[in-house]
Amino acid sequence: MRLVIVGGVAAGMTAASRAQRHNPDARIVVFERGDWISYGACGLPYVIGRQVDTTDDLVARTPAQMRARGIGVRLRHEVTGVDAQAATLTVLDRDSGRTVTEPYDRLLLATGVEAVRPAWAHTDLRGVHVVRQISDVQAIEITLQHARRACVVGGGYIGIEMAEALHARGLSVVMVEQAPEVAGRMLDPDYQRRVRAELEQQGIDVRCAMGVVGLTGKAGQVTGVQTEGGLVRADVVIVAVGVRPQTALARAAGARLGRTGAVAVNLRQETSVPGVFSAGDNTESLHRVTRRKVHLPLALGANRMGRVAGVNMAGGDARFPGVVGTGIFKAFGLGAARTGLTQTEADALGLRAHSVDVSSTDHAGYYQDAHPLHVRLTGEIGTGRLLGAQLVGAVHSVKRVDVVAALLHSRARVPALFESDLAYAPPFSGVWDVLLVAADRLMREV
Amino acid sequence: MRLVIVGGVAAGMTAASRAQRHNPDARIVVFERGDWISYGACGLPYVIGRQVDTTDDLVARTPAQMRARGIGVRLRHEVTGVDAQAATLTVLDRDSGRTVTEPYDRLLLATGVEAVRPAWAHTDLRGVHVVRQISDVQAIEITLQHARRACVVGGGYIGIEMAEALHARGLSVVMVEQAPEVAGRMLDPDYQRRVRAELEQQGIDVRCAMGVVGLTGKAGQVTGVQTEGGLVRADVVIVAVGVRPQTALARAAGARLGRTGAVAVNLRQETSVPGVFSAGDNTESLHRVTRRKVHLPLALGANRMGRVAGVNMAGGDARFPGVVGTGIFKAFGLGAARTGLTQTEADALGLRAHSVDVSSTDHAGYYQDAHPLHVRLTGEIGTGRLLGAQLVGAVHSVKRVDVVAALLHSRARVPALFESDLAYAPPFSGVWDVLLVAADRLMREV
């Protein structure tokens, strides 16, 4: 049985490993159009910020390691076409320029996302970058050799991480965001503002509600970002305005896309085309709180989908039970995390949702170095069901969002959180962990 | 209706507040034999260690604040007897020496625990202390004015916290523990050893498997601890060998004690005597994993019991659904946490339990300042039920024990943990949080 995987990063390589483990006799080959496989793309901003030494550190497994396990890896091989009737792929060897036809018995599309480049970013100017791949970081490093002023376009978590990284490298940083606030898709407005306040306090010049018109350049080098509010001078421009699932191959294979624009799959990661699987950032998943299909291109979900696809491709039977929309990021001294639905999201879905806010400290208030920790907990009026949580506070304190994430998975009600026997000692929390305080209040209001 | 509460610390004052809120017309009076109410006893070691400025910071509510809410508080009033037939208490005013009889309609016994003082610690020598109350800390501070060498007897979490505190104050510290390892009741042996290693590395001289024979003194001042292994010279001796529920009044009232030795109650915190409630550290609670009654004198449980008792005393109907045995402590740069059952505890109960161990890092290994984090996850063979977790690692990383605690509350199986959508970004965890890695392995082994 020949299992072919297109894309060798998170979902693709996880699938390859799982398929190999499940069926050691299967012939497995991975086509990756880039120069690296199995790297942690989430770590890229931290290489720029030098919290990670080199991009090499992000690589979990090399092609040689995979080959030693009997998994074929072809780097710099781009799959340009698929014929699902014939069960063949058209593959371009980017080095030789030759194209060959490759057969498959089962196919996994793990093509991921590409960074959105608005029309104004379609330019040959040097110094304009997205942050998706290892090669992007290498290109940014070259730009930084002569850069003093940075403009980050986009205030999502990648924009925020890049703003921090460039600031750490000594550049002055302007962040330009079209939406009214930063972290727009992650948090409710109050919590977005807390993140912006931290960015501003640390020296980032944040300009929200400001669209970008174009770029200026001189001698082929970018010199600024033309915004609705005037020119932002910059030697390096980071474009971080979102990502889009890479679905060309799925469409060519005749696979159905979902309403989100990503590839539609069942819980076994099967597309609408027999024998063709899809996993990772190019793929929809089930949101367990809303029971709707969502496109949440995040690393853990991609890895999970890859595991499931790998087992199933190899003849097993695994299911991906879905996500609850957990996310987390660091903005200088602040951590921000969310899971489930924000109030904004719940409202947009027409749910009868209600939120409570608790501002406390990361550990006992009387214990040294207590830092603010703000929690919003959201529940469904009438049913008392937990809908979501948002935490913004000291970096190390926001991972406790996981408590709510775990409960959301089983569609728990608010009292289940309140009754939980959470750990207490003064260096770790108050007697009543802030999540319990929030649950106590929310319980009485939904 | 006259509601009388004996003991004004965690459970007692919480009950008073809740009762008052539930029934503003009730007459509520609290008798506290000490000089303070409503203080965080868990913070006492940190006052010695100077992570907390003064004992005043530990006081959540003063008598004046309670009286302003209509709750009577009588400090330095010791309840010395109870007549449940007559529904009266005998109360000694420790200042005047007078004894009066006080009637009650409903009575709450929130008498807490007392520190165990072994026979050898029954001595008049100055410099020998337990750590239970604010007055203990004041006495220790006086001793510390002329102390250079400390001996901490007992390697439980209070002993560990005190060893760290005294070390922070510049004393040389010897810890003597009768059991083979420190943290004996909290963790399995491997995890106990990690805690001991940290203590030793930080400069604590830890002597385990060593009994204490007696104390030596000179001119009324302690000079050392005589152990089975020889004399440990010390100017200050901290006796932290455990606590014992204060049940004299409960027994006098005719209330049944449980097998644990603490007061037996139902889920409404009612004792076997009508009209008499018990809550807090003197009281048993239900362990939701084992369905057995346990005596776990910890702050959160005490507060929860106080809430429930307060509502019920005032005519409401609240239930305390029990605990899952969560605990956490700090030992220098290490945090240690546990919830549910250890393998040792599960074995002692005759459960078919199995544990897996995962050693990882607190956040992505490639991200700066990654510290070790060790997790043991325990499940039940056959049913796949989660039984417990132990975490030892960087201080801020072990609070994620709460994820398992929340799931234990609802008797979840291991796959429910594995499937949870936990938060990931490189500064916070690996893509697969260490709890997920552990659950993945355990799932396949139970």
Side-chain angles (χ1 to χ4, degrees):
Chain A
M1 186 161 58
R2 190 166 201 256
L3 310 181
V4 175
I5 296 169
V6 184
V9 191
M13 292 319 299
T14 303
S17 295
R18 285 286 149 169
Q20 197 276 334
R21 192 186 296 186
H22 194 83
N23 183 350
D25 297 330
R27 291 176 54 211
I28 302 169
V29 59
V30 180
F31 294 109
E32 167 55 46
R33 70 178 171 191
D35 294 300
W36 291 271
I37 61 163
S38 195
Y39 60 90
C42 308
L44 295 172
Y46 301 107
V47 179
I48 303 290
R50 296 190 169 158
Q51 290 102 334
V52 176
D53 291 336
T54 77
T55 52
D56 292 346
D57 294 336
L58 304 182
V59 176
R61 285 164 294 199
T62 63
Q65 288 169 325
M66 297 310 288
R67 286 182 196 121
R69 292 177 52 191
I71 294 169
V73 175
R74 308 230 190 122
L75 290 184
R76 301 181 58 74
H77 279 65
E78 182 166 1
V79 177
T80 57
V82 54
D83 181 338
Q85 290 299 111
T88 58
L89 300 175
T90 311
V91 184
L92 168 69
D93 178 340
R94 290 176 58 199
D95 290 323
S96 70
R98 281 180 306 193
T99 292
V100 294
T101 299
E102 294 273 356
Y104 64 81
D105 292 306
R106 285 179 186 159
L107 174 65
L108 172 63
L109 301 174
T111 46
V113 288
E114 60 188 338
V116 170
R117 288 175 185 263
W120 54 258
H122 283 196
T123 164
D124 291 335
L125 293 171
R126 290 188 306 278
V128 182
H129 303 278
V130 297
V131 185
R132 275 304 300 162
Q133 302 178 62
I134 287 179
S135 55
D136 295 325
V137 166
Q138 295 173 329
I140 291 168
E141 284 291 351
I142 291 167
T143 297
L144 290 186
Q145 289 169 8
H146 303 286
R148 285 170 33 241
R149 288 178 293 208
C151 180
V152 175
V153 182
Y157 67 89
I158 293 176
I160 290 168
E161 290 165 355
M162 284 304 298
E164 181 178 348
L166 294 168
H167 183 270
R169 293 290 292 272
L171 281 79
S172 67
V173 180
V174 178
M175 174 180 280
V176 178
E177 166 61 52
Q178 193 161 25
E181 275 297 346
V182 301
R185 274 172 286 196
M186 297 277 291
L187 302 168
D188 281 333
D190 287 356
Y191 290 76
Q192 294 165 4
R193 279 191 283 274
R194 293 187 205 282
V195 173
R196 174 151 70 113
E198 173 72 7
L199 294 173
E200 289 174 342
Q201 199 180 323
Q202 298 281 353
I204 307 297
D205 179 351
V206 183
R207 306 185 188 175
C208 289
M210 188 167 290
V212 169
V213 179
L215 298 170
T216 59
K218 187 173 171 185
Q221 162 68 37
V222 74
T223 57
V225 177
Q226 196 64 254
T227 76
E228 293 165 355
L231 180 69
V232 175
R233 297 174 67 89
D235 317 307
V236 54
V237 174
I238 304 294
V239 181
V241 297
V243 294
R244 169 191 301 136
Q246 302 199 91
T247 57
L249 285 178
R251 282 180 279 130
R256 194 171 69 77
L257 302 190
R259 275 188 301 182
T260 67
V263 182
V265 292
N266 61 18
L267 296 186
R268 286 172 41 87
Q269 301 301 133
E270 292 167 331
T271 70
S272 60
V273 179
V276 180
F277 295 74
S278 183
D281 289 352
N282 52 310
T283 314
E284 289 188 341
S285 52
L286 177 69
H287 196 297
R288 289 177 65 87
V289 175
T290 63
R291 299 287 189 198
R292 288 167 185 244
K293 291 303 181 85
V294 290
H295 178 230
L296 290 174
L298 292 169
L300 178 59
N303 276 271
R304 286 190 189 274
M305 289 192 236
R307 280 169 67 112
V308 170
V311 169
N312 291 334
M313 288 175 81
D317 185 20
R319 319 252 154 175
F320 177 44
V323 298
V324 297
T326 311
I328 194 167
F329 65 91
K330 175 181 175 298
F332 291 94
L334 214 59
R338 54 74 51 82
T339 189
L341 302 174
T342 62
Q343 180 71 42
T344 309
E345 289 168 344
D347 290 343
L349 288 163
L351 293 169
R352 294 183 62 219
H354 177 69
S355 298
V356 298
D357 293 294
V358 175
S359 290
S360 179
T361 48
D362 53 347
H363 54 242
Y366 56 70
Y367 186 90
Q368 69 184 7
D369 300 329
H371 296 289
L373 173 57
H374 307 278
V375 172
R376 165 167 287 194
L377 195 66
T378 305
E380 190 173 42
I381 297 167
T383 65
R385 181 162 67 108
L386 260 179
L387 290 178
Q390 297 163 69
L391 286 82
V392 172
V395 172
H396 288 292
S397 66
V398 300
K399 186 79 163 85
R400 60 186 87 178
V401 73
D402 285 349
V403 175
V404 180
L407 291 175
L408 285 176
H409 192 81
S410 57
R411 299 176 76 81
R413 293 176 65 251
V414 182
L417 174 57
F418 174 70
E419 291 173 357
S420 291
D421 188 13
L422 303 189
Y424 160 65
F428 299 93
S429 75
V431 177
W432 296 91
D433 187 282
V434 60
L435 291 175
L436 300 178
V437 176
D440 186 26
R441 285 192 41 207
L442 185 58
M443 218 162 61
R444 286 180 266 129
E445 298 181 18
V446 294
Chain B
M1 188 161 56
R2 190 166 200 256
L3 310 181
V4 175
I5 296 170
V6 185
V9 191
M13 292 319 297
T14 304
S17 294
R18 286 285 148 169
Q20 197 276 334
R21 191 186 297 186
H22 194 82
N23 183 352
D25 298 330
R27 291 175 53 211
I28 303 169
V29 60
V30 179
F31 294 109
E32 166 56 44
R33 70 177 171 192
D35 295 301
W36 291 271
I37 60 163
S38 195
Y39 59 90
C42 307
L44 294 172
Y46 301 106
V47 179
I48 303 290
R50 296 191 168 156
Q51 290 102 335
V52 176
D53 290 337
T54 78
T55 52
D56 291 346
D57 295 337
L58 303 182
V59 176
R61 285 163 294 198
T62 63
Q65 288 169 325
M66 298 310 287
R67 288 182 195 120
R69 293 177 52 191
I71 295 168
V73 175
R74 307 226 192 124
L75 291 183
R76 301 183 56 75
H77 278 65
E78 182 164 0
V79 178
T80 56
V82 55
D83 181 339
Q85 290 299 112
T88 58
L89 300 176
T90 311
V91 184
L92 168 69
D93 177 340
R94 290 176 57 199
D95 289 325
S96 71
R98 280 181 307 195
T99 292
V100 294
T101 299
E102 294 273 355
Y104 65 80
D105 292 307
R106 286 179 186 161
L107 174 65
L108 172 62
L109 301 174
T111 46
V113 288
E114 62 188 337
V116 170
R117 288 176 185 263
W120 55 259
H122 283 196
T123 165
D124 291 335
L125 292 171
R126 289 189 305 277
V128 182
H129 302 279
V130 297
V131 186
R132 276 303 300 161
Q133 302 178 63
I134 286 178
S135 54
D136 295 324
V137 166
Q138 295 172 330
I140 292 169
E141 284 292 349
I142 291 168
T143 297
L144 290 187
Q145 288 169 9
H146 303 286
R148 285 169 33 241
R149 287 178 294 207
C151 181
V152 175
V153 182
Y157 67 89
I158 292 176
I160 290 168
E161 290 166 355
M162 284 304 299
E164 180 177 349
L166 294 168
H167 183 271
R169 292 289 291 272
L171 280 80
S172 68
V173 181
V174 178
M175 174 179 281
V176 178
E177 166 62 51
Q178 194 161 25
E181 275 297 345
V182 299
R185 274 171 286 195
M186 298 277 291
L187 302 169
D188 281 334
D190 286 355
Y191 291 75
Q192 294 165 3
R193 278 191 284 275
R194 294 187 205 283
V195 173
R196 175 152 69 113
E198 174 71 7
L199 294 173
E200 289 176 341
Q201 198 180 325
Q202 298 282 352
I204 306 297
D205 178 352
V206 183
R207 306 186 189 173
C208 289
M210 188 167 291
V212 170
V213 179
L215 299 170
T216 60
K218 188 172 171 188
Q221 162 68 38
V222 72
T223 56
V225 177
Q226 197 65 254
T227 75
E228 294 164 354
L231 179 69
V232 175
R233 297 175 67 88
D235 318 306
V236 54
V237 174
I238 304 295
V239 181
V241 298
V243 294
R244 166 190 306 133
Q246 301 200 92
T247 57
L249 284 179
R251 282 180 279 131
R256 194 171 69 77
L257 302 189
R259 274 187 300 182
T260 67
V263 182
V265 291
N266 61 18
L267 297 185
R268 285 172 41 86
Q269 300 302 135
E270 293 166 330
T271 70
S272 59
V273 179
V276 180
F277 296 75
S278 183
D281 289 353
N282 51 311
T283 314
E284 288 189 340
S285 52
L286 176 70
H287 196 298
R288 289 177 64 87
V289 175
T290 63
R291 301 285 190 201
R292 289 169 185 244
K293 292 301 181 86
V294 290
H295 177 230
L296 291 173
L298 293 168
L300 178 59
N303 276 272
R304 286 189 189 276
M305 288 191 236
R307 280 170 66 112
V308 169
V311 169
N312 292 334
M313 288 174 82
D317 185 20
R319 319 252 154 172
F320 177 44
V323 299
V324 297
T326 310
I328 194 167
F329 65 91
K330 175 180 175 300
F332 292 93
L334 214 60
R338 55 75 50 84
T339 188
L341 303 174
T342 62
Q343 179 72 42
T344 309
E345 289 169 344
D347 289 343
L349 288 163
L351 292 170
R352 294 184 62 219
H354 176 70
S355 298
V356 297
D357 293 294
V358 175
S359 289
S360 179
T361 49
D362 53 346
H363 54 242
Y366 57 70
Y367 186 89
Q368 69 185 7
D369 300 328
H371 296 288
L373 174 57
H374 307 279
V375 172
R376 166 168 287 194
L377 195 66
T378 304
E380 190 173 42
I381 297 167
T383 65
R385 181 163 66 110
L386 259 179
L387 290 178
Q390 297 163 70
L391 286 81
V392 172
V395 172
H396 289 293
S397 67
V398 300
K399 187 80 163 84
R400 60 186 86 179
V401 74
D402 286 349
V403 174
V404 179
L407 291 174
L408 285 176
H409 193 80
S410 58
R411 299 177 76 82
R413 293 178 63 252
V414 181
L417 174 57
F418 174 69
E419 291 174 356
S420 292
D421 188 14
L422 304 189
Y424 160 63
F428 299 93
S429 75
V431 175
W432 296 91
D433 187 281
V434 60
L435 291 175
L436 300 178
V437 176
D440 185 28
R441 281 192 43 206
L442 185 59
M443 218 162 59
R444 286 179 266 129
E445 298 182 18
V446 293

PDB file of all heavy atoms in Angstrom, chain B residues 293-313:
ATOM      1  N   LYS B 293     -14.631   8.674  53.154  1.00  0.00           N
ATOM      2  CA  LYS B 293     -14.445   9.866  53.959  1.00  0.00           C
ATOM      3  C   LYS B 293     -12.955  10.027  54.257  1.00  0.00           C
ATOM      4  O   LYS B 293     -12.262   9.049  54.566  1.00  0.00           O
ATOM      5  CB  LYS B 293     -15.230   9.767  55.267  1.00  0.00           C
ATOM      6  CG  LYS B 293     -16.745   9.800  55.063  1.00  0.00           C
ATOM      7  CD  LYS B 293     -17.186  11.085  54.373  1.00  0.00           C
ATOM      8  CE  LYS B 293     -18.689  11.150  54.175  1.00  0.00           C
ATOM      9  NZ  LYS B 293     -19.383  11.685  55.343  1.00  0.00           N
ATOM     10  N   VAL B 294     -12.499  11.257  54.137  1.00  0.00           N
ATOM     11  CA  VAL B 294     -11.091  11.555  54.397  1.00  0.00           C
ATOM     12  C   VAL B 294     -10.983  12.770  55.316  1.00  0.00           C
ATOM     13  O   VAL B 294     -11.939  13.550  55.470  1.00  0.00           O
ATOM     14  CB  VAL B 294     -10.332  11.855  53.088  1.00  0.00           C
ATOM     15  CG1 VAL B 294     -10.176  10.602  52.247  1.00  0.00           C
ATOM     16  CG2 VAL B 294     -11.022  12.963  52.288  1.00  0.00           C
ATOM     17  N   HIS B 295      -9.836  12.899  55.938  1.00  0.00           N
ATOM     18  CA  HIS B 295      -9.550  14.103  56.715  1.00  0.00           C
ATOM     19  C   HIS B 295      -8.388  14.814  56.039  1.00  0.00           C
ATOM     20  O   HIS B 295      -7.233  14.411  56.160  1.00  0.00           O
ATOM     21  CB  HIS B 295      -9.187  13.749  58.169  1.00  0.00           C
ATOM     22  CG  HIS B 295      -8.829  14.955  58.966  1.00  0.00           C
ATOM     23  ND1 HIS B 295      -7.691  15.051  59.733  1.00  0.00           N
ATOM     24  CD2 HIS B 295      -9.464  16.146  59.094  1.00  0.00           C
ATOM     25  CE1 HIS B 295      -7.633  16.243  60.312  1.00  0.00           C
ATOM     26  NE2 HIS B 295      -8.694  16.917  59.941  1.00  0.00           N
ATOM     27  N   LEU B 296      -8.718  15.833  55.260  1.00  0.00           N
ATOM     28  CA  LEU B 296      -7.715  16.601  54.530  1.00  0.00           C
ATOM     29  C   LEU B 296      -7.826  18.060  54.962  1.00  0.00           C
ATOM     30  O   LEU B 296      -8.601  18.822  54.390  1.00  0.00           O
ATOM     31  CB  LEU B 296      -7.943  16.480  53.015  1.00  0.00           C
ATOM     32  CG  LEU B 296      -7.663  15.116  52.387  1.00  0.00           C
ATOM     33  CD1 LEU B 296      -8.089  15.086  50.930  1.00  0.00           C
ATOM     34  CD2 LEU B 296      -6.178  14.770  52.511  1.00  0.00           C
ATOM     35  N   PRO B 297      -7.084  18.425  55.984  1.00  0.00           N
ATOM     36  CA  PRO B 297      -7.214  19.793  56.509  1.00  0.00           C
ATOM     37  C   PRO B 297      -6.501  20.800  55.626  1.00  0.00           C
ATOM     38  O   PRO B 297      -5.336  21.108  55.839  1.00  0.00           O
ATOM     39  CB  PRO B 297      -6.576  19.687  57.899  1.00  0.00           C
ATOM     40  CG  PRO B 297      -5.611  18.555  57.797  1.00  0.00           C
ATOM     41  CD  PRO B 297      -6.140  17.611  56.754  1.00  0.00           C
ATOM     42  N   LEU B 298      -7.206  21.284  54.614  1.00  0.00           N
ATOM     43  CA  LEU B 298      -6.641  22.251  53.676  1.00  0.00           C
ATOM     44  C   LEU B 298      -7.607  23.419  53.523  1.00  0.00           C
ATOM     45  O   LEU B 298      -8.816  23.282  53.708  1.00  0.00           O
ATOM     46  CB  LEU B 298      -6.394  21.581  52.321  1.00  0.00           C
ATOM     47  CG  LEU B 298      -5.301  20.509  52.325  1.00  0.00           C
ATOM     48  CD1 LEU B 298      -5.322  19.708  51.025  1.00  0.00           C
ATOM     49  CD2 LEU B 298      -3.917  21.141  52.520  1.00  0.00           C
ATOM     50  N   ALA B 299      -7.038  24.564  53.143  1.00  0.00           N
ATOM     51  CA  ALA B 299      -7.790  25.818  53.225  1.00  0.00           C
ATOM     52  C   ALA B 299      -9.027  25.858  52.335  1.00  0.00           C
ATOM     53  O   ALA B 299     -10.090  26.305  52.758  1.00  0.00           O
ATOM     54  CB  ALA B 299      -6.864  26.985  52.871  1.00  0.00           C
ATOM     55  N   LEU B 300      -8.898  25.411  51.085  1.00  0.00           N
ATOM     56  CA  LEU B 300     -10.042  25.536  50.188  1.00  0.00           C
ATOM     57  C   LEU B 300     -11.210  24.690  50.674  1.00  0.00           C
ATOM     58  O   LEU B 300     -12.353  25.156  50.720  1.00  0.00           O
ATOM     59  CB  LEU B 300      -9.651  25.150  48.758  1.00  0.00           C
ATOM     60  CG  LEU B 300     -10.784  25.184  47.726  1.00  0.00           C
ATOM     61  CD1 LEU B 300     -11.409  26.572  47.626  1.00  0.00           C
ATOM     62  CD2 LEU B 300     -10.277  24.730  46.354  1.00  0.00           C
ATOM     63  N   GLY B 301     -10.921  23.460  51.066  1.00  0.00           N
ATOM     64  CA  GLY B 301     -11.984  22.603  51.583  1.00  0.00           C
ATOM     65  C   GLY B 301     -12.632  23.191  52.820  1.00  0.00           C
ATOM     66  O   GLY B 301     -13.860  23.155  52.980  1.00  0.00           O
ATOM     67  N   ALA B 302     -11.800  23.766  53.696  1.00  0.00           N
ATOM     68  CA  ALA B 302     -12.342  24.380  54.911  1.00  0.00           C
ATOM     69  C   ALA B 302     -13.287  25.522  54.552  1.00  0.00           C
ATOM     70  O   ALA B 302     -14.387  25.649  55.107  1.00  0.00           O
ATOM     71  CB  ALA B 302     -11.200  24.885  55.789  1.00  0.00           C
ATOM     72  N   ASN B 303     -12.877  26.352  53.615  1.00  0.00           N
ATOM     73  CA  ASN B 303     -13.738  27.461  53.197  1.00  0.00           C
ATOM     74  C   ASN B 303     -15.024  26.951  52.561  1.00  0.00           C
ATOM     75  O   ASN B 303     -16.100  27.493  52.798  1.00  0.00           O
ATOM     76  CB  ASN B 303     -12.981  28.355  52.214  1.00  0.00           C
ATOM     77  CG  ASN B 303     -12.106  29.374  52.905  1.00  0.00           C
ATOM     78  OD1 ASN B 303     -12.548  30.463  53.229  1.00  0.00           O
ATOM     79  ND2 ASN B 303     -10.862  29.002  53.184  1.00  0.00           N
ATOM     80  N   ARG B 304     -14.896  25.927  51.740  1.00  0.00           N
ATOM     81  CA  ARG B 304     -16.097  25.378  51.095  1.00  0.00           C
ATOM     82  C   ARG B 304     -17.063  24.836  52.142  1.00  0.00           C
ATOM     83  O   ARG B 304     -18.268  25.049  52.070  1.00  0.00           O
ATOM     84  CB  ARG B 304     -15.718  24.243  50.139  1.00  0.00           C
ATOM     85  CG  ARG B 304     -15.060  24.697  48.848  1.00  0.00           C
ATOM     86  CD  ARG B 304     -14.959  23.488  47.918  1.00  0.00           C
ATOM     87  NE  ARG B 304     -14.171  23.731  46.736  1.00  0.00           N
ATOM     88  CZ  ARG B 304     -14.629  24.298  45.613  1.00  0.00           C
ATOM     89  NH1 ARG B 304     -15.889  24.699  45.538  1.00  0.00           N
ATOM     90  NH2 ARG B 304     -13.843  24.471  44.573  1.00  0.00           N
ATOM     91  N   MET B 305     -16.520  24.092  53.102  1.00  0.00           N
ATOM     92  CA  MET B 305     -17.386  23.543  54.152  1.00  0.00           C
ATOM     93  C   MET B 305     -18.047  24.669  54.930  1.00  0.00           C
ATOM     94  O   MET B 305     -19.225  24.577  55.303  1.00  0.00           O
ATOM     95  CB  MET B 305     -16.570  22.683  55.111  1.00  0.00           C
ATOM     96  CG  MET B 305     -16.127  21.362  54.529  1.00  0.00           C
ATOM     97  SD  MET B 305     -15.447  20.297  55.856  1.00  0.00           S
ATOM     98  CE  MET B 305     -13.837  19.932  55.206  1.00  0.00           C
ATOM     99  N   GLY B 306     -17.284  25.730  55.184  1.00  0.00           N
ATOM    100  CA  GLY B 306     -17.848  26.868  55.904  1.00  0.00           C
ATOM    101  C   GLY B 306     -18.999  27.500  55.140  1.00  0.00           C
ATOM    102  O   GLY B 306     -20.040  27.840  55.724  1.00  0.00           O
ATOM    103  N   ARG B 307     -18.847  27.652  53.846  1.00  0.00           N
ATOM    104  CA  ARG B 307     -19.939  28.204  53.028  1.00  0.00           C
ATOM    105  C   ARG B 307     -21.196  27.371  53.167  1.00  0.00           C
ATOM    106  O   ARG B 307     -22.299  27.892  53.379  1.00  0.00           O
ATOM    107  CB  ARG B 307     -19.550  28.204  51.549  1.00  0.00           C
ATOM    108  CG  ARG B 307     -18.665  29.312  51.108  1.00  0.00           C
ATOM    109  CD  ARG B 307     -18.156  29.069  49.703  1.00  0.00           C
ATOM    110  NE  ARG B 307     -19.198  29.108  48.703  1.00  0.00           N
ATOM    111  CZ  ARG B 307     -19.313  30.062  47.770  1.00  0.00           C
ATOM    112  NH1 ARG B 307     -18.436  31.051  47.721  1.00  0.00           N
ATOM    113  NH2 ARG B 307     -20.279  30.024  46.891  1.00  0.00           N
ATOM    114  N   VAL B 308     -21.004  26.063  53.023  1.00  0.00           N
ATOM    115  CA  VAL B 308     -22.155  25.160  53.041  1.00  0.00           C
ATOM    116  C   VAL B 308     -22.818  25.190  54.420  1.00  0.00           C
ATOM    117  O   VAL B 308     -24.047  25.310  54.547  1.00  0.00           O
ATOM    118  CB  VAL B 308     -21.710  23.735  52.655  1.00  0.00           C
ATOM    119  CG1 VAL B 308     -22.805  22.722  52.923  1.00  0.00           C
ATOM    120  CG2 VAL B 308     -21.286  23.711  51.187  1.00  0.00           C
ATOM    121  N   ALA B 309     -21.993  25.110  55.461  1.00  0.00           N
ATOM    122  CA  ALA B 309     -22.549  25.123  56.814  1.00  0.00           C
ATOM    123  C   ALA B 309     -23.273  26.437  57.085  1.00  0.00           C
ATOM    124  O   ALA B 309     -24.357  26.446  57.686  1.00  0.00           O
ATOM    125  CB  ALA B 309     -21.424  24.916  57.834  1.00  0.00           C
ATOM    126  N   GLY B 310     -22.695  27.541  56.635  1.00  0.00           N
ATOM    127  CA  GLY B 310     -23.309  28.846  56.871  1.00  0.00           C
ATOM    128  C   GLY B 310     -24.688  28.946  56.245  1.00  0.00           C
ATOM    129  O   GLY B 310     -25.658  29.391  56.881  1.00  0.00           O
ATOM    130  N   VAL B 311     -24.788  28.519  55.000  1.00  0.00           N
ATOM    131  CA  VAL B 311     -26.083  28.564  54.312  1.00  0.00           C
ATOM    132  C   VAL B 311     -27.091  27.678  55.038  1.00  0.00           C
ATOM    133  O   VAL B 311     -28.233  28.085  55.298  1.00  0.00           O
ATOM    134  CB  VAL B 311     -25.918  28.120  52.842  1.00  0.00           C
ATOM    135  CG1 VAL B 311     -27.276  27.888  52.186  1.00  0.00           C
ATOM    136  CG2 VAL B 311     -25.108  29.154  52.065  1.00  0.00           C
ATOM    137  N   ASN B 312     -26.670  26.471  55.388  1.00  0.00           N
ATOM    138  CA  ASN B 312     -27.606  25.528  56.006  1.00  0.00           C
ATOM    139  C   ASN B 312     -28.021  25.952  57.411  1.00  0.00           C
ATOM    140  O   ASN B 312     -29.182  25.795  57.806  1.00  0.00           O
ATOM    141  CB  ASN B 312     -26.999  24.123  56.016  1.00  0.00           C
ATOM    142  CG  ASN B 312     -26.883  23.549  54.608  1.00  0.00           C
ATOM    143  OD1 ASN B 312     -27.644  23.941  53.713  1.00  0.00           O
ATOM    144  ND2 ASN B 312     -25.931  22.656  54.405  1.00  0.00           N
ATOM    145  N   MET B 313     -27.075  26.484  58.172  1.00  0.00           N
ATOM    146  CA  MET B 313     -27.423  26.993  59.510  1.00  0.00           C
ATOM    147  C   MET B 313     -28.486  28.071  59.436  1.00  0.00           C
ATOM    148  O   MET B 313     -29.323  28.201  60.320  1.00  0.00           O
ATOM    149  CB  MET B 313     -26.208  27.644  60.174  1.00  0.00           C
ATOM    150  CG  MET B 313     -25.147  26.708  60.641  1.00  0.00           C
ATOM    151  SD  MET B 313     -23.755  27.705  61.234  1.00  0.00           S
ATOM    152  CE  MET B 313     -24.333  28.093  62.902  1.00  0.00           C
TER     153      MET B 313
END
